[in-house]
Amino acid sequence: MSLPGWADRFDGDRAIRDIVRLCALGPRPSGSPAAGQQRRVVAEHFRSSGGAVSIQGFRGEHPLTGEPVPMANVVASWRPGASDRLLVAAHGDTRPVADRERDPARRLLPFLGANDGGSGVAALMELARHVSDLPGALGVDLAVFDAEELVFDEVGDYCLGSREFARRHRRAFDSGGPSYEAAVVLDMVAGRSMQLNREGFGLEYAAWLTEELWEVARDRGASRFSEDCGHYVEDDHLPLLAIGVPSVALVDIEFPEWHTVGDTPEACDPRAIEEVGRVVMGWLGRVAGEGPGR
Ligand SMILES: [Zn+2]
């Protein structure tokens, strides 16, 4: 059984308002006060939407200075007792400087990360408003990963938060904890000219999951989902794939304002994030209807 019209409840205008609200905190690189403020906003939102929230704190290292950087993932669980689970995740940190600006002087500027950082988190916030109504017995977790890109040009490691999350999940699973049937990572899902290609790693290591998502997209007439095979993108799905969780990244790597000061709410389109959100909800609804261990 799935809830008719449930996926259409994902509201792109409301998601854009969340992007604006997050960007009002300023740039949100890992370890910044604004990143901490965002974490509190998101955790409170998840809680008020019925999620059981846990904060996974850990310590990273600043790639330029070697100083310790406090980091934390925010994880919210619906039906926390269910052993079969689905995960939707996004990174919440914004890259520290706009290193794809053409003018070298501008490459040192911080930027808002409305699409790269903001849109994934806003999509999770909008999902959180509806996930309590998902029928069936599957558990759902929404996770905001820290430190996907505390990286300066090429200096620094990617995906620290998702690696920490994967390490903890693996340890819990090995001692009898829950398992993820599948995970979807959202990254840059609101760009005005968004096109989502089938990302290389997901296609190679979780082909059936890629196909499930694209099938929902086709059924919904979601035209921003392209049949093209895209690049291989190093994103937060890789640490999950590495521990055996089938994972796909929906990522618009051709975003024109990528890692520039132009990555503002004005570069985002409510219809784009809405399309992605509704496909993800359509997929959740379909999987939930089939039940655990399908
Ligand atoms: Zn980025």
Side-chain angles (χ1 to χ4, degrees), residues 158-279:
Y158 288 92
C159 302
L160 302 183
S162 49
R163 283 195 233 173
E164 174 72 16
F165 178 91
R167 198 179 59 75
R168 291 186 189 215
H169 174 67
R170 182 60 204 244
R171 201 174 49 199
F173 175 77
D174 286 345
S175 47
S179 70
Y180 289 117
E181 290 202 5
V184 178
V185 166
L186 307 176
D187 193 359
M188 296 191 277
V189 289
R192 285 188 177 281
S193 56
M194 183 180 74
Q195 176 174 317
L196 296 174
N197 296 327
R198 297 184 291 169
E199 185 277 331
F201 292 110
L203 197 53
E204 195 164 326
Y205 298 105
W208 62 268
L209 178 58
T210 304
E211 183 47 36
E212 272 188 6
L213 287 158
W214 259 256
E215 198 177 292
V216 174
R218 278 193 296 273
D219 288 353
R220 300 190 57 85
S223 60
R224 295 170 181 85
F225 284 70
S226 159
E227 297 299 325
D228 293 352
C229 298
H231 299 288
Y232 286 77
V233 182
E234 189 175 346
D235 213 326
D236 288 319
H237 59 323
L238 295 192
L240 298 167
L241 282 168
I243 58 162
V245 176
S247 307
V248 161
L250 301 179
V251 51
D252 175 26
I253 202 71
E254 309 286 355
F255 176 51
E257 286 83 10
W258 187 37
H259 296 170
T260 72
V261 296
D263 184 357
T264 64
E266 289 71 38
C268 298
D269 178 353
R271 300 288 83 76
I273 193 169
E274 186 170 273
E275 187 174 293
V276 176
R278 290 180 178 184
V279 168

Side-chain angles (χ1 to χ4, degrees), residues 4-189:
W6 180 67
D8 295 327
R9 295 188 200 166
F10 189 104
D11 183 338
D13 295 302
R14 190 159 48 191
I16 294 289
R17 289 199 290 278
D18 284 331
I19 291 179
V20 170
R21 183 173 162 212
L22 298 175
C23 287
L25 301 171
R28 303 166 306 288
S30 292
S32 66
Q37 285 173 299
Q38 172 174 278
R39 206 147 47 227
R40 285 188 287 280
V41 167
V42 170
E44 183 47 42
H45 175 75
F46 285 163
R47 255 181 229 115
S48 67
S49 306
V53 174
S54 63
I55 306 291
Q56 300 181 340
F58 60 103
R59 228 165 239 293
E61 191 176 87
H62 195 284
L64 300 182
T65 66
E67 294 283 313
V69 178
M71 299 175 174
N73 300 324
V74 181
V75 185
S77 301
W78 282 259
R79 296 193 194 104
S83 56
D84 289 302
R85 312 193 63 78
L86 300 169
L87 173 67
V88 187
H91 75 88
D93 61 308
T94 60
R95 199 174 178 93
V97 292
D99 47 27
R100 286 177 67 93
E101 282 285 344
R102 289 227 175 87
D103 175 357
R106 289 169 70 84
R107 282 180 209 149
L108 297 174
L109 294 172
F111 67 104
L112 284 179
N115 193 26
D116 191 1
S119 69
V121 177
L124 297 185
M125 290 173 76
E126 178 60 9
L127 285 173
R129 296 184 175 102
H130 310 290
V131 77
S132 295
D133 300 326
L134 187 71
L138 281 167
V140 175
D141 293 343
L142 303 181
V144 176
F145 297 139
D146 204 347
E148 191 267 336
E149 49 183 344
L150 185 58
V151 176
F152 296 78
D153 286 316
E154 291 310 310
V155 184
D157 286 332
Y158 288 92
C159 302
L160 302 183
S162 49
R163 283 195 233 173
E164 174 72 16
F165 178 91
R167 198 179 59 75
R168 291 186 189 215
H169 174 67
R170 182 60 204 244
R171 201 174 49 199
F173 175 77
D174 286 345
S175 47
S179 70
Y180 289 117
E181 290 202 5
V184 178
V185 166
L186 307 176
D187 193 359
M188 296 191 277
V189 289

